[in-house]
Amino acid sequence: MWALTLRGLRTGLREGDLVFAMLSPIGFFLCFYTPLHRAFEAGGGRYAQYLLPVIVLQSGLFTAITAAQVSGTDARSAARDRFLTLPIPRVAPRPRASWRRACAC
């Protein structure tokens, strides 16, 4: 488990995905909040209350896009086939399948 986590972190650092994931929400907040907050707050509202959820959703979308890209890269490099040859007991995937069946009610 830790080997896969470290593999993902190293790949994210090498390709810049991790840096982008950390800095992009801050950058988007500054780019949208700085020029627009005075105009919005003149109407009596707080701009940060509306902007922050949008940036959180945008970060989630960027994460999904990055995960899909990494999954495609793993599929292209046959990483799944290598993972299937590892000595993992057959019981390991069962809790996930049980959870999926429980949520499908």
Side-chain angles (χ1 to χ4, degrees), residues 8-31:
L9 288 174
R10 272 189 251 124
T11 303
L13 280 172
R14 184 177 55 243
E15 294 180 5
D17 295 335
L18 192 60
V19 175
F20 181 73
M22 298 281 212
L23 297 179
S24 65
I26 296 168
F28 284 120
F29 184 79
L30 291 175
C31 289

Side-chain angles (χ1 to χ4, degrees), residues 16-99:
D17 295 335
L18 192 60
V19 175
F20 181 73
M22 298 281 212
L23 297 179
S24 65
I26 296 168
F28 284 120
F29 184 79
L30 291 175
C31 289
F32 285 109
Y33 183 78
T34 303
L36 300 174
H37 76 95
R38 287 192 185 105
F40 191 86
E41 289 173 357
R46 291 193 46 137
Y47 188 53
Q49 289 179 333
Y50 297 101
L51 184 63
L52 198 57
V54 171
I55 291 175
V56 169
L57 287 173
Q58 191 174 32
S59 297
L61 288 173
F62 283 152
T63 301
I65 290 168
T66 302
Q69 181 182 2
V70 168
S71 178
T73 304
D74 283 349
R76 188 176 53 227
S77 68
R80 182 178 180 274
D81 296 335
R82 286 181 286 168
F83 291 149
L84 289 175
T85 62
L86 293 174
I88 300 172
R90 294 265 182 209
V91 179
R94 297 307 303 160
R96 180 176 171 202
S98 299
W99 178 256

